[in-house]
Amino acid sequence: MTLKTLLKASSAIVLLSAIAANAQATHPATGEALAEVQTFTYRVLDEHSSVDPQVVEDVTGAEVVRDLFEGLMNQDATGELVPGVATGFDVSEDGLTYTFTLRDNARWSNGDPVLASDFVYAWKRAVDPALASEYAWFMELMSIENAAAIIAGEMDKDALGVTAPDDSAFVVTLSQPLPYFAQMTTHSTTFPVHPATVEAHGDTWTRPENIVSNGAYVLREHVPQERLVRVRNEMYWDNENTIIDEVTSLVINDVNQGLTRYLAGELDRTEVPPGQFQRLSAEYPDQAISIPRLCSYYYNFNLSEGGPEALQDVRVRQAMNLAVNRDVIVNNVLGAGQTAAYNFTPVRTAGFTLPDLPIADMTQEDRNAMAVALITEAGYGIGGEPLSIELLYNTDEAHRNIAVALGQMWQQTLGIQTTLANQEWQTFLQTRGNQNFEMARGAWCGDYNEASTFLDLVTTNSGYNDAKYSNAEVDQLMAEAKTAADPQPNYTRVEQIIAEEVPIIPIYHYADGYMFNPELKGWPVDNVEQNWYSRELYKVAGE
Amino acid sequence: MFNFVLKRLAIAVPTILILIVLSFMLMFAAPGGPFNSERPLPPQVLANLEARYGLDQPYWKQMYDYVVNMVTRFDFGPSFQYRDRTVTDVIMQGFPVTLTYGFWSFVVAVIVGVSLGVVAAIKHNTWLDYLAVGISVGAQVLPNFVMAPILVLVFTLWLGWLPGGGWQGGQWQYLILPVIALSTSYMASIARITRSSMLEVLNAGFIRTARAKGLPTWRIILGHALKPAMLPVLSYLGPAFVLMITGSVVIDVYFSTGGIGQFFVNSAFSRDYAVIMGITILVGVLTIVFNLLVDVLYAWIDPKIRY
């Protein structure tokens, strides 16, 4: 080809692609007309911890990591598994060996192919004591062979049960069958990294000038505490189906300021400030959206030896559980689409069926009557021994409002006095972790979409069992559930035990209120883990 | 004078050391640590992390190492919270931002504040005085965390003139709202101090003499009255300048400027020890330097002061 023909050919290509771009200004699947400028700008509360897949520990960081990197499997808009770098996987009959087949067109942003050995490198990195990842426990939770021993420093990281027999086969050996193992490969800790880049730059490999990534976007700019900009990765295997060109996250600490800037058109998405959802959804019905989350809000009783004696009496705990009017809390105190919780595991958790719990079907009058009967029987409250309980929560307006509401309900119905105590986060964690409380606020969001991520918390040895609740039957049921073909009966029983013995009082299941630019489409509202990917979003042309 | 400066600088060294020791003690006394999270880390992971950052050493050793590294290599250590950044990176990124909007706020506060104060004093008990006093009282009672959201509401949402936050390398559009929000309360204080001190000076004997000589008013004000009237203002300006350039959390929070104030507060909440120390030392050094500078300026302005 001479230079001239080359020039002609290339200008023809430019022309053709320009025509194609014009013609393609509709969404390939839905046919909607697309906006000319495809950018997505959203508010984040705070600076993310890291964009290193094996280091990141916060939700905002994981959102960025899901754009920059791609793991074995992805989630679709409803949270179901869809292929990522892997086109699929095979499970051995004993459930202990997973073989993932990697697509041959996956590329790093520098053009290198994504190899199975990159995953091996990343997974070993996650458990490496030298990296000291705060998410190393996740690999342990995935039951990967030898993960626990490596994290504890008893074995070399090369003993981890992962191998790459060839460039496109990634094999994982588990120490025990884990029904939801494949789901866990959508978690950022399991995403690959580019070994040569990590080795060359050490801790600074994640800076925009150094980073090499394999996701739909690459990191263009990062100004800590101000902004992070990512742009389309031309090397991404599915780049042609990506519509959003540029994604910007802006750190805006103050939620009200975020709302003002959203209304001024500076943002495509922001959180709704507490207590404003009802007003905003009336004013902007097509913009205010409530998204259910896989999280539960609850109160712990201190059941350890140092805890208040009255709370050791199950009748007192039952009475307090019954006397909480959840409807008032979700509708009047919160009002952003949260749902009343009478059990621990959120009902939207995959494969989880809500067990029949008597308390859920009663009216609040009946609950209150039963509560009064129980507390009287126990000899406390109105007419009995006076009872005063301190409610501990971390300093926050919303937590305070709930504590006030709870205090009033218990005071009115049961005659129990409450005092409020709030502490700054770190201090709160320490106080609660050392059982220096009477009742303390707790909240839990699922690490993966399966009921055990919640129910493991009430087992004796759980590090998060702040109530120090211990029940041998629960421990056994949860241990069996790990490998059971159908763990639901176990979960049902555990939920029933929680409802009977009330080590915790579930209050509500989370929902977050957001404002969304009405032109922004493709948001996975039904993905309860809110694992969203910018490459699935698009903006339609305004009328 | 030279001896005085030298002496003050010599005192600065033990002052900084005491500051470091006190800060370390407070940090270690605060519950929790940089790697405490809602989900307790497995003991081995925690041990690995602590080893990585030297937190497994005894307190005195950590303190000693810190000072040695700081003095010999100008190394303030790594951030515990952000692995890809050192404390020096954090300061190098945040401090220029704060310095920029702090400096401009200072300039605005001084120019507007002194002018208001002088006008109010000259036109004592006239409507101009009341207006100037009114403005400064208004500015004083509107704290910047109230100012900031109002400014964004008005200039960003209603008028659409200016961006509601961000920094973008310090372009002027991004500078205006933070500067207004930060400078107003300082401006008000400067105006009040200037006014009362100016009133006092205007009643002094040498001013009466100047008037008797028939000097024009503007020469009396600028040439004779302003300099002595500035003394109390000056002693206010030193610490005010340090406060302004070392960061206002409120400005950083409301305008997402990425300045050092936000890093400081965040590091305290997340127990990012090295960042806390780095910024504390920075603020300490600046305070010492500017107090010294004010003292030197004092001697220059007031012939009665000799060191």
Short mmCIF file of all heavy atoms in Angstrom, two decimals, chain A residues 71-75 79-82 88-91 95 98 100 123 138 142 172 174 178-187 190 448:
data_model
loop_
_atom_site.label_atom_id
_atom_site.label_comp_id
_atom_site.label_asym_id
_atom_site.label_seq_id
_atom_site.Cartn_x
_atom_site.Cartn_y
_atom_site.Cartn_z
N GLY A 71 -13.14 -8.47 36.76
CA GLY A 71 -12.84 -9.76 37.34
C GLY A 71 -13.34 -10.90 36.48
O GLY A 71 -13.74 -10.71 35.33
N LEU A 72 -13.34 -12.10 37.06
CA LEU A 72 -13.75 -13.28 36.32
C LEU A 72 -15.21 -13.16 35.87
O LEU A 72 -15.53 -13.38 34.72
CB LEU A 72 -13.58 -14.52 37.21
CG LEU A 72 -12.13 -14.86 37.58
CD1 LEU A 72 -12.10 -15.88 38.70
CD2 LEU A 72 -11.37 -15.36 36.36
N MET A 73 -16.06 -12.82 36.83
CA MET A 73 -17.48 -12.73 36.52
C MET A 73 -17.98 -11.33 36.89
O MET A 73 -17.43 -10.67 37.75
CB MET A 73 -18.28 -13.78 37.31
CG MET A 73 -17.84 -15.23 37.10
SD MET A 73 -18.00 -15.80 35.39
CE MET A 73 -19.75 -16.13 35.29
N ASN A 74 -19.06 -10.89 36.23
CA ASN A 74 -19.71 -9.62 36.55
C ASN A 74 -21.13 -9.89 37.00
O ASN A 74 -21.61 -11.02 36.92
CB ASN A 74 -19.76 -8.73 35.31
CG ASN A 74 -18.39 -8.24 34.90
OD1 ASN A 74 -17.49 -8.10 35.75
ND2 ASN A 74 -18.20 -7.99 33.63
N GLN A 75 -21.79 -8.83 37.43
CA GLN A 75 -23.21 -8.93 37.75
C GLN A 75 -24.01 -8.15 36.72
O GLN A 75 -23.54 -7.12 36.22
CB GLN A 75 -23.49 -8.35 39.14
CG GLN A 75 -22.94 -9.22 40.25
CD GLN A 75 -23.33 -8.71 41.63
OE1 GLN A 75 -24.04 -7.72 41.75
NE2 GLN A 75 -22.89 -9.40 42.65
N GLY A 79 -28.25 -8.38 39.45
CA GLY A 79 -27.32 -9.01 40.36
C GLY A 79 -26.97 -10.44 39.96
O GLY A 79 -26.21 -11.11 40.65
N GLU A 80 -27.52 -10.92 38.84
CA GLU A 80 -27.20 -12.28 38.39
C GLU A 80 -25.80 -12.31 37.78
O GLU A 80 -25.32 -11.31 37.26
CB GLU A 80 -28.22 -12.75 37.35
CG GLU A 80 -29.64 -12.89 37.87
CD GLU A 80 -29.76 -13.96 38.96
OE1 GLU A 80 -29.14 -15.03 38.80
OE2 GLU A 80 -30.43 -13.70 39.97
N LEU A 81 -25.18 -13.49 37.84
CA LEU A 81 -23.83 -13.63 37.29
C LEU A 81 -23.84 -13.57 35.77
O LEU A 81 -24.66 -14.23 35.13
CB LEU A 81 -23.26 -14.99 37.71
CG LEU A 81 -22.54 -15.09 39.04
CD1 LEU A 81 -21.89 -16.46 39.15
CD2 LEU A 81 -21.50 -14.00 39.18
N VAL A 82 -22.93 -12.78 35.22
CA VAL A 82 -22.71 -12.79 33.77
C VAL A 82 -21.20 -12.83 33.54
O VAL A 82 -20.42 -12.46 34.43
CB VAL A 82 -23.32 -11.54 33.09
CG1 VAL A 82 -24.83 -11.61 33.08
CG2 VAL A 82 -22.86 -10.27 33.76
N GLY A 88 -16.93 -18.32 31.28
CA GLY A 88 -17.74 -19.25 32.06
C GLY A 88 -16.84 -20.08 32.94
O GLY A 88 -15.62 -19.85 33.00
N PHE A 89 -17.43 -21.04 33.66
CA PHE A 89 -16.61 -21.88 34.54
C PHE A 89 -17.24 -23.25 34.69
O PHE A 89 -18.44 -23.44 34.47
CB PHE A 89 -16.44 -21.23 35.91
CG PHE A 89 -17.73 -20.95 36.63
CD1 PHE A 89 -18.30 -21.91 37.47
CD2 PHE A 89 -18.39 -19.73 36.46
CE1 PHE A 89 -19.49 -21.65 38.12
CE2 PHE A 89 -19.59 -19.47 37.12
CZ PHE A 89 -20.14 -20.43 37.95
N ASP A 90 -16.39 -24.22 35.04
CA ASP A 90 -16.85 -25.58 35.32
C ASP A 90 -16.55 -25.89 36.78
O ASP A 90 -15.52 -25.47 37.31
CB ASP A 90 -16.09 -26.59 34.45
CG ASP A 90 -16.48 -26.43 32.99
OD1 ASP A 90 -17.69 -26.34 32.72
OD2 ASP A 90 -15.56 -26.35 32.14
N VAL A 91 -17.45 -26.63 37.40
CA VAL A 91 -17.25 -27.03 38.79
C VAL A 91 -17.09 -28.54 38.82
O VAL A 91 -17.84 -29.26 38.16
CB VAL A 91 -18.45 -26.63 39.67
CG1 VAL A 91 -18.10 -26.76 41.15
CG2 VAL A 91 -18.93 -25.23 39.35
N GLY A 95 -17.43 -30.30 44.05
CA GLY A 95 -17.63 -28.89 44.36
C GLY A 95 -16.37 -28.20 44.84
O GLY A 95 -16.44 -27.07 45.34
N TYR A 98 -12.88 -25.25 40.78
CA TYR A 98 -13.53 -24.38 39.79
C TYR A 98 -12.53 -24.09 38.69
O TYR A 98 -11.41 -23.66 38.97
CB TYR A 98 -13.97 -23.07 40.44
CG TYR A 98 -15.25 -23.16 41.23
CD1 TYR A 98 -15.30 -23.85 42.43
CD2 TYR A 98 -16.42 -22.56 40.77
CE1 TYR A 98 -16.48 -23.95 43.16
CE2 TYR A 98 -17.60 -22.64 41.49
CZ TYR A 98 -17.63 -23.34 42.69
OH TYR A 98 -18.80 -23.43 43.39
N PHE A 100 -12.10 -21.73 35.49
CA PHE A 100 -12.63 -20.59 34.73
C PHE A 100 -11.92 -20.53 33.38
O PHE A 100 -10.69 -20.67 33.30
CB PHE A 100 -12.37 -19.28 35.47
CG PHE A 100 -13.17 -19.15 36.74
CD1 PHE A 100 -12.69 -19.67 37.94
CD2 PHE A 100 -14.41 -18.52 36.74
CE1 PHE A 100 -13.43 -19.55 39.11
CE2 PHE A 100 -15.15 -18.40 37.91
CZ PHE A 100 -14.67 -18.91 39.10
N TRP A 123 -4.48 -13.01 43.22
CA TRP A 123 -5.07 -13.74 44.35
C TRP A 123 -4.02 -14.05 45.41
O TRP A 123 -4.30 -14.01 46.60
CB TRP A 123 -5.79 -15.01 43.86
CG TRP A 123 -7.07 -14.70 43.12
CD1 TRP A 123 -7.31 -13.61 42.33
CD2 TRP A 123 -8.28 -15.47 43.12
NE1 TRP A 123 -8.59 -13.66 41.84
CE2 TRP A 123 -9.21 -14.79 42.30
CE3 TRP A 123 -8.66 -16.67 43.72
CZ2 TRP A 123 -10.50 -15.27 42.06
CZ3 TRP A 123 -9.95 -17.16 43.48
CH2 TRP A 123 -10.86 -16.45 42.67
N PHE A 138 -11.43 -11.83 53.08
CA PHE A 138 -12.41 -12.21 52.07
C PHE A 138 -11.96 -13.48 51.34
O PHE A 138 -12.77 -14.34 51.01
CB PHE A 138 -12.60 -11.06 51.07
CG PHE A 138 -13.78 -11.24 50.16
CD1 PHE A 138 -15.05 -10.93 50.59
CD2 PHE A 138 -13.62 -11.75 48.88
CE1 PHE A 138 -16.15 -11.12 49.75
CE2 PHE A 138 -14.70 -11.94 48.04
CZ PHE A 138 -15.98 -11.62 48.48
N MET A 142 -13.71 -17.12 51.11
CA MET A 142 -13.97 -17.84 49.86
C MET A 142 -13.53 -19.30 49.94
O MET A 142 -13.71 -20.04 48.99
CB MET A 142 -13.23 -17.16 48.70
CG MET A 142 -13.83 -15.83 48.30
SD MET A 142 -12.84 -15.00 47.04
CE MET A 142 -13.41 -15.82 45.54
N VAL A 172 -9.19 -22.94 40.55
CA VAL A 172 -9.22 -22.65 41.98
C VAL A 172 -9.59 -23.92 42.74
O VAL A 172 -10.53 -24.61 42.36
CB VAL A 172 -10.27 -21.57 42.33
CG1 VAL A 172 -10.14 -21.14 43.79
CG2 VAL A 172 -10.13 -20.38 41.41
N LEU A 174 -10.80 -25.38 46.39
CA LEU A 174 -11.37 -24.93 47.65
C LEU A 174 -11.11 -25.95 48.74
O LEU A 174 -10.90 -27.13 48.48
CB LEU A 174 -12.88 -24.73 47.50
CG LEU A 174 -13.36 -23.80 46.40
CD1 LEU A 174 -14.87 -23.61 46.49
CD2 LEU A 174 -12.67 -22.45 46.47
N LEU A 178 -18.40 -24.54 48.45
CA LEU A 178 -19.02 -23.28 48.84
C LEU A 178 -20.02 -22.92 47.74
O LEU A 178 -19.63 -22.50 46.66
CB LEU A 178 -17.93 -22.21 48.95
CG LEU A 178 -18.30 -20.90 49.62
CD1 LEU A 178 -18.61 -21.12 51.09
CD2 LEU A 178 -17.16 -19.91 49.49
N PRO A 179 -21.32 -23.08 48.03
CA PRO A 179 -22.32 -22.93 46.96
C PRO A 179 -22.27 -21.56 46.27
O PRO A 179 -22.55 -21.46 45.09
CB PRO A 179 -23.65 -23.11 47.69
CG PRO A 179 -23.32 -23.83 48.96
CD PRO A 179 -21.92 -23.45 49.31
N TYR A 180 -21.91 -20.51 47.00
CA TYR A 180 -21.94 -19.18 46.41
C TYR A 180 -20.56 -18.69 46.01
O TYR A 180 -20.32 -17.49 45.89
CB TYR A 180 -22.62 -18.20 47.37
CG TYR A 180 -22.18 -18.33 48.81
CD1 TYR A 180 -21.10 -17.62 49.30
CD2 TYR A 180 -22.85 -19.20 49.67
CE1 TYR A 180 -20.69 -17.77 50.61
CE2 TYR A 180 -22.44 -19.35 50.99
CZ TYR A 180 -21.37 -18.63 51.45
OH TYR A 180 -20.95 -18.78 52.75
N PHE A 181 -19.61 -19.63 45.79
CA PHE A 181 -18.25 -19.22 45.47
C PHE A 181 -18.19 -18.34 44.22
O PHE A 181 -17.54 -17.30 44.22
CB PHE A 181 -17.36 -20.45 45.29
CG PHE A 181 -15.99 -20.12 44.79
CD1 PHE A 181 -15.02 -19.64 45.66
CD2 PHE A 181 -15.68 -20.22 43.44
CE1 PHE A 181 -13.76 -19.29 45.20
CE2 PHE A 181 -14.42 -19.86 42.97
CZ PHE A 181 -13.46 -19.40 43.85
N ALA A 182 -18.88 -18.76 43.16
CA ALA A 182 -18.78 -18.02 41.89
C ALA A 182 -19.27 -16.58 42.07
O ALA A 182 -18.70 -15.64 41.49
CB ALA A 182 -19.59 -18.73 40.80
N GLN A 183 -20.32 -16.38 42.88
CA GLN A 183 -20.82 -15.04 43.17
C GLN A 183 -19.71 -14.15 43.73
O GLN A 183 -19.66 -12.95 43.47
CB GLN A 183 -21.95 -15.11 44.20
CG GLN A 183 -23.34 -15.24 43.62
CD GLN A 183 -23.81 -13.96 42.97
OE1 GLN A 183 -23.20 -12.90 43.13
NE2 GLN A 183 -24.89 -14.05 42.21
N MET A 184 -18.84 -14.76 44.51
CA MET A 184 -17.82 -13.97 45.19
C MET A 184 -16.74 -13.46 44.24
O MET A 184 -15.99 -12.56 44.59
CB MET A 184 -17.21 -14.78 46.34
CG MET A 184 -18.25 -15.11 47.41
SD MET A 184 -17.61 -16.14 48.72
CE MET A 184 -16.97 -14.93 49.85
N THR A 185 -16.68 -14.01 43.02
CA THR A 185 -15.66 -13.53 42.08
C THR A 185 -16.06 -12.21 41.44
O THR A 185 -15.34 -11.68 40.61
CB THR A 185 -15.39 -14.56 40.97
OG1 THR A 185 -16.58 -14.72 40.19
CG2 THR A 185 -14.95 -15.89 41.53
N THR A 186 -17.23 -11.67 41.83
CA THR A 186 -17.57 -10.33 41.34
C THR A 186 -17.05 -9.26 42.29
O THR A 186 -17.21 -8.07 42.06
CB THR A 186 -19.10 -10.14 41.20
OG1 THR A 186 -19.69 -10.27 42.50
CG2 THR A 186 -19.70 -11.20 40.29
N HIS A 187 -16.43 -9.71 43.38
CA HIS A 187 -15.92 -8.78 44.39
C HIS A 187 -14.55 -8.25 43.99
O HIS A 187 -13.70 -9.01 43.51
CB HIS A 187 -15.84 -9.51 45.74
CG HIS A 187 -15.65 -8.60 46.89
ND1 HIS A 187 -14.42 -8.10 47.24
CD2 HIS A 187 -16.53 -8.09 47.77
CE1 HIS A 187 -14.56 -7.32 48.29
NE2 HIS A 187 -15.83 -7.30 48.64
N THR A 190 -10.95 -9.86 44.19
CA THR A 190 -10.54 -10.97 43.32
C THR A 190 -10.16 -10.49 41.92
O THR A 190 -9.90 -11.31 41.04
CB THR A 190 -11.69 -11.98 43.18
OG1 THR A 190 -12.75 -11.37 42.41
CG2 THR A 190 -12.24 -12.40 44.52
N TYR A 448 -21.62 -10.45 50.40
CA TYR A 448 -21.99 -11.14 49.17
C TYR A 448 -23.47 -11.42 49.31
O TYR A 448 -24.03 -11.29 50.40
CB TYR A 448 -21.17 -12.42 48.98
CG TYR A 448 -21.08 -13.26 50.22
CD1 TYR A 448 -22.00 -14.29 50.46
CD2 TYR A 448 -20.12 -13.01 51.18
CE1 TYR A 448 -21.93 -15.04 51.62
CE2 TYR A 448 -20.06 -13.75 52.35
CZ TYR A 448 -20.96 -14.76 52.56
OH TYR A 448 -20.92 -15.48 53.72
#
